[in-house]
């Protein structure tokens, strides 16, 4: 889909030599070519991870149906680890870093040589770490799933590899923050570009959150797996993991919100409803993403009920920016739909560009986020957590949130970002294929995730391999839902193949041309943005205070009542 | 000043309904699960 030449955002006339006319290329704001190369490197890894991780997912649902056995001695928990690590950690982190880098370069300006060099260093550290961790999983030395809970013990190279991925992402995030700081120095007193601001918030949240997993890996898992210490404090390791693990969910989600707030309004020809509302919601996500990890540990002994309750309450605050986002999106859609002639209370809805994959595919993701969010509230509801804890309901939940809302938004963004970076265009044929993939995804996920939710309510456990549990009557109730998961998973894999086909086309075969990097302007009457929303010191102090309140006593309790700990187990 | 009667085209009534609609969906799902929880525990 080629972009209209009437893009008003930047006209570089003053920079052109005398007598030279503007070309289409000059009228579009482009990501710097060298930055584009770095961003593209991330896309190669991200979509390779999608293909391999998706295949592992397909094998998993086949095994769980009871009608298929893995060949060549491949273990179920091995492919479960491949699926989780490649899709939950690698696809996401690479896409996010590539997208944010492009977004910062597009809106705050090209990275300096030093900043770009940092970006490449981070990229290669992440890639070395990914190869190291993947090798250990393929050698069946690390079938510990993507949560790598102790006392399951992987080879130390697996943990070191994941640590490198995190350190690499820190360095990349730093390069993006440095570009934002440079912009603010060069434009004192002005409101920063929204996308660059959002990328900075996500990076800051990632820094603070990943400290938990860094401490867990460096001070617990590595010495333990190297044999330097014999035992590990399991509760401490899980608490550190979930301090990181829940914020990880928001690290995935915020780039999707960047697309929803800033890109989608432009794609539909409308404007951002309010810059201030978008920034406030991001700051609220920064505050309430981290001091809430204990809601993943509601059934664990060793953490006092009061602290669990406090973190449940803090978790519920996340509903506020979530509904602010829903309101902002609907307002953007309604304003644009009415401009296009939509009448009545909901008539504007029909006017939206339903055939444009840059809109339709992320929109399917937005719809999936509604039941996904509702399910999340059930998960976090203290006592009600017992209903679904460690059941496959939870797997169904995060396949709606991360594996639909988030990744469909990433794919929708890739359909313009990749051609923007490669200097190609999304043709109408590829656009139709992309829409087909989005619809297939919606159908496949409805079947698979729906079956997971129901089976979970019937008590089916998550993670575990197929079993009749000694002919148990209750386990027999789950079988039909496991078949449904296999059917849904197959449709999802077909969708992945179509998406990979579109991405390959956009990388190497699509016609040369110009594809826009859409960035919306703020609607008239959107109000001014209060400076406090960019005062990171104030929000940082509140964040640290909340983390200290939520975690100081639980961690102190865990340390002071520390048991002897556990030796490592290799059950695969 | 002309007596201008506001219609749904002049405001964000659709947005308001849609946002509240999401809230209602969340509450209904939560209530159904709560019912299951009460039955089971």
């Amino acid at each position: 889909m080629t972009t209209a030449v009437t893009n008003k955002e930047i006209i570089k006339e003053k920079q052109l030599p005398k007598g030279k006319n503007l070309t289409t290329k000059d009228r579009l704001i482009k990501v710097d070519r060298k930055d584009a190369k770095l961003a593209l490197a991330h896309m190669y890894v991200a979509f390779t991870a999608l293909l391999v991780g998706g295949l592992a997912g397909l094998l998993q649902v086949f095994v769980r149906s009871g009608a298929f056995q893995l060949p060549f001695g491949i273990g179920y928990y091995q492919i479960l680890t491949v699926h989780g690590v490649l899709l939950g950690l690698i696809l996401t982190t690479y896409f996010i870093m590539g997208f944010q880098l492009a977004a910062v370069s597009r809106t705050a300006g090209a990275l300096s040589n030093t900043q770009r060099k940092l970006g490449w260093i981070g990229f290669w550290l992440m890639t070395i770490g990914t190869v190291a961790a993947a090798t250990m999983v393929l050698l069946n030395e690390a079938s510990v799933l993507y949560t790598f809970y102790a006392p399951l013990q992987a080879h130390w190279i697996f943990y070191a590899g994941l640590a490198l991925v995190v350190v690499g992402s820190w360095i990349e995030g730093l390069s993006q923050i440095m570009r934002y700081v440079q912009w603010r120095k060069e434009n004192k007193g002005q409101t920063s570009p929204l996308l660059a601001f959002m990328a900075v918030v996500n990076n800051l949240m990632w820094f603070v959150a990943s400290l938990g997993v860094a401490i867990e890996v460096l001070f617990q898992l590595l010495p333990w797996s190297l044999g330097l210490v014999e035992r590990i404090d399991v509760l401490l390791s899980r608490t550190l993991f979930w301090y990181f693990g829940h914020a990880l969910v928001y690290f995935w989600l915020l780039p999707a919100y960047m697309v929803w707030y800033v890109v989608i309004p432009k794609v539909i020809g409308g404007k951002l409803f309010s810059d201030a509302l978008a920034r406030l919601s991001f700051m609220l996500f920064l505050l309430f993403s981290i001091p809430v990890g204990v809601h993943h540990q509601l059934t664990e002994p060793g953490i006092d009920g009061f602290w669990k309750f406090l973190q449940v309450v803090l978790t519920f605050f996340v509903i506020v920016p979530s509904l602010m986002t829903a309101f902002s999106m609907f307002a953007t859609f309604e304003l644009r739909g009415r401009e296009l002639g939509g009448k009545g209370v909901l008539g504007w809805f029909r006017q939206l560009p339903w055939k444009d994959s840059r809109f339709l595919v992320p929109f399917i993701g937005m719809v999936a986020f509604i039941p996904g969010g509702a399910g999340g509230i059930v998960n976090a509801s203290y006592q009600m957590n017992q209903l679904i804890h460690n059941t496959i309901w939870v797997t169904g939940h995060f396949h709606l949130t991360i594996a639909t809302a988030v990744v469909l938004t990433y794919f929708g963004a890739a359909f313009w970002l990749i051609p923007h970076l490669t200097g190609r265009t999304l043709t109408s044929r590829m656009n139709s294929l992309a829409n087909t993939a989005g619809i297939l995804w919606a159908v496949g996920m409805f079947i698979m995730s729906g079956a997971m939710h129901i089976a979970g309510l019937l008590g089916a456990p998550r993670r575990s391999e197929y079993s009749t549990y000694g002919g148990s009557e209750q386990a027999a109730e789950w079988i039909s839902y496991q078949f449904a998961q296999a059917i849904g998973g197959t449709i999802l894999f077909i969708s992945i193949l179509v998406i990979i086909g579109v991405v390959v086309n956009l990388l190497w075969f699509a016609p040369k041309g110009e594809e826009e990097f859409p960035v919306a302007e703020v609607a008239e009457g959107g109000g001014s943005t209060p400076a406090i929303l960019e005062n990171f010191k104030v929000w940082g102090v509140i964040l640290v205070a909340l983390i200290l309140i939520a975690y100081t006593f639980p961690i102190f309790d865990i340390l002071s009542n520390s048991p002897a700990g556990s030796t490592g187990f290799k059950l695969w | 000043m002309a007596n201008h009667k506001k219609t749904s085209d002049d405001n964000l009534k659709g947005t308001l309904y849609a946002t509240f609609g999401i809230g209602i969906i969340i509450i209904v799902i939560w209530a159904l699960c709560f019912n299951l929880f009460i039955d089971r525990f």
Side-chain angles (χ1 to χ4, degrees):
Chain A
M1 192 166 294
T2 48
T3 310
V5 185
T6 50
N7 188 332
K8 295 177 193 168
E9 292 171 288
I10 278 191
I11 306 290
K12 296 181 177 174
E13 276 169 309
K14 286 179 185 171
Q15 299 167 13
L16 290 173
K18 273 186 182 174
K20 190 178 176 198
N21 294 326
L22 278 171
T23 62
T24 307
K25 198 171 181 176
D26 297 321
R27 289 168 199 271
L28 293 169
I29 307 176
K30 299 277 294 175
V31 172
D32 175 81
R33 278 185 61 190
K34 289 179 182 168
D35 295 346
K37 208 174 160 188
L38 177 54
L40 263 181
H42 289 80
M43 297 300 145
Y44 295 136
V45 182
F47 284 94
T48 306
L50 173 67
L51 183 61
V52 181
L55 179 62
L58 180 70
L59 294 174
Q60 249 180 84
V61 287
F62 280 174
V63 172
R64 278 184 77 103
S65 74
F68 176 78
Q69 285 190 327
L70 289 166
F72 315 121
I74 300 170
Y76 172 79
Y77 294 100
Q78 195 177 3
I79 56 162
L80 184 53
T81 306
V82 171
H83 180 68
V85 170
L86 284 186
L87 297 188
L89 300 178
I90 304 303
L91 161 69
T92 49
T93 308
Y94 275 87
F95 185 88
I96 290 166
M97 283 301 156
F99 168 72
Q100 288 187 170
L101 169 95
V104 170
S105 175
R106 159 70 170 77
T107 57
L111 271 64
S112 70
N113 286 337
T114 310
Q115 291 157 3
R116 195 177 306 111
K117 205 174 280 176
L118 282 175
W120 277 111
I121 291 170
F123 171 81
W124 282 113
L125 277 179
M126 279 170 49
T127 306
I128 292 167
T130 302
V131 171
T135 305
M136 287 302 112
V137 176
L138 293 175
L139 292 174
N140 206 17
E141 291 287 342
S143 296
V144 290
L145 319 191
Y146 95 103
T147 43
F148 47 92
Y149 285 152
L152 286 178
Q153 191 183 56
H155 194 284
W156 69 268
I157 293 178
F158 174 79
Y159 300 123
L162 289 185
L164 275 183
V165 173
V166 172
V167 172
S169 69
W170 284 350
I171 297 172
E172 287 213 48
L174 181 67
S175 74
Q176 293 162 25
I177 291 174
M178 285 166 69
R179 186 62 190 89
Y180 168 83
V181 171
Q182 184 189 335
W183 189 95
R184 290 202 53 185
K185 276 185 188 158
E186 291 166 355
N187 299 273
K188 279 198 166 37
Q190 291 185 43
T191 305
S192 65
L194 182 55
L195 260 184
F197 165 86
M198 290 169 154
V200 168
V201 173
N202 201 27
N203 281 315
L204 287 176
M205 194 262 284
W206 179 242
F207 290 163
V208 179
S210 50
L211 276 177
V213 77
I215 293 169
E216 182 199 2
V217 169
L218 282 180
F219 296 103
Q220 289 195 286
L221 296 174
L222 271 175
W224 177 62
S225 58
L226 280 164
L228 301 176
V229 294
E230 192 194 354
R231 290 172 182 273
I232 191 166
D233 184 335
V234 173
L235 180 58
L236 180 63
S237 75
R238 289 166 67 92
T239 306
L240 288 170
F241 180 85
W242 283 116
Y243 167 90
F244 152 83
H246 190 74
L248 172 68
V249 172
Y250 284 91
F251 175 66
W252 298 330
L253 187 61
L254 290 190
Y257 276 23
M258 293 178 206
V259 174
W260 295 1
Y261 270 114
V262 184
V263 172
I264 295 292
K266 179 73 177 177
V267 167
I268 66 172
K271 293 189 173 175
L272 168 67
F273 179 68
S274 162
D275 180 277
L277 184 146
R279 284 177 206 257
L280 176 61
S281 76
F282 264 63
M283 282 307 193
L284 292 176
F285 279 123
L286 175 66
L287 296 188
F288 297 115
S289 297
I290 302 170
V292 295
V294 166
H295 78 238
H296 288 257
Q297 301 173 275
L298 292 175
T299 60
E300 283 184 39
I303 300 174
D304 188 81
F306 173 78
W307 301 108
K308 288 178 180 172
F309 179 73
L310 179 78
Q311 295 213 18
V312 162
V313 173
L314 288 172
T315 304
F316 276 39
F317 275 105
V318 176
I319 300 168
V320 176
S322 300
L323 284 177
M324 280 165 64
T325 303
F327 176 85
S328 178
M329 295 316 302
F330 283 128
T332 299
F333 294 159
E334 182 167 2
L335 290 171
R336 178 61 181 155
R338 292 206 184 288
E339 265 178 22
L340 293 173
K343 299 286 178 197
V345 176
L346 294 171
W348 45 272
F349 202 65
R350 282 197 293 272
Q351 304 296 327
L352 299 172
W354 297 108
K355 290 183 180 169
D356 187 340
S357 61
R358 301 171 306 163
F359 169 72
L360 178 67
V361 177
F363 184 84
I364 294 170
M366 292 179 198
V367 173
F369 205 56
I370 299 169
I377 294 170
V378 172
N379 301 345
S381 293
Y382 207 166
Q383 292 89 343
M384 269 166 69
N385 181 267
Q386 294 169 61
L387 193 66
I388 50 78
H389 197 93
N390 263 341
T391 70
I392 201 162
W393 157 290
V394 179
T395 317
H397 161 72
F398 65 69
H399 275 83
L400 283 181
T401 51
I402 167 70
T404 304
V406 169
V407 298
L408 282 189
T409 303
Y410 291 178
F411 299 154
F415 299 147
W416 52 260
L417 179 61
I418 292 177
H420 179 88
L421 300 173
T422 54
R424 296 178 186 273
T425 56
L426 177 67
T427 60
S428 56
R429 184 156 175 265
M430 285 301 124
N431 181 60
S432 302
L433 271 178
N435 281 335
T436 307
I439 293 164
L440 277 175
W441 195 287
V443 172
M445 193 57 82
F446 178 78
I447 297 170
M448 190 180 86
S449 174
M452 286 174 166
H453 276 90
I454 298 170
L457 289 175
L458 295 172
R462 65 185 286 201
R463 296 189 179 103
S464 54
E465 192 173 356
Y466 174 78
S467 170
T468 58
Y469 296 89
S472 143
E473 217 171 277
Q474 188 183 7
E477 288 180 8
W478 309 331
I479 301 291
S480 54
Y481 295 104
Q482 285 164 197
F483 260 101
Q485 288 163 36
I487 293 166
T490 306
I491 298 170
L492 282 164
F493 188 69
I494 294 168
S495 174
I496 286 177
L497 291 179
V498 176
I499 287 161
I500 294 289
V502 173
V503 166
V504 167
N505 176 274
L506 294 173
L507 281 170
W508 295 295
F509 301 108
K512 293 276 183 188
E514 296 296 331
E515 190 71 45
E516 181 188 20
F517 188 134
V519 175
E521 295 168 18
V522 182
E524 285 165 25
S528 58
T529 303
I532 184 81
L533 291 176
E534 281 207 85
N535 190 333
F536 282 95
K537 282 180 193 158
V538 171
W539 298 95
V541 168
I542 301 172
L543 172 64
V544 171
L546 283 174
I547 292 172
L548 289 176
I549 291 167
Y551 271 104
T552 304
F553 281 96
I555 296 274
F556 179 77
D557 265 354
I558 292 168
L559 289 175
S560 54
N561 297 301
S562 176
S566 175
T567 54
F569 286 87
K570 287 180 184 168
L571 302 175
W572 58 93
Chain B
M1 188 182 283
N3 184 14
H4 176 65
K5 191 185 174 195
K6 280 203 166 188
T7 69
S8 58
D9 295 345
D10 302 322
N11 54 39
L12 291 174
K13 204 180 263 184
T15 297
L16 189 73
Y17 289 160
T19 311
F20 271 86
I22 289 178
I24 290 166
I25 290 170
I26 291 172
I27 291 167
V28 168
I29 292 176
W30 190 92
L32 288 172
C33 287
F34 186 69
N35 185 43
L36 258 180
F37 170 74
I38 293 293
D39 284 350
R40 207 171 281 181
F41 296 98

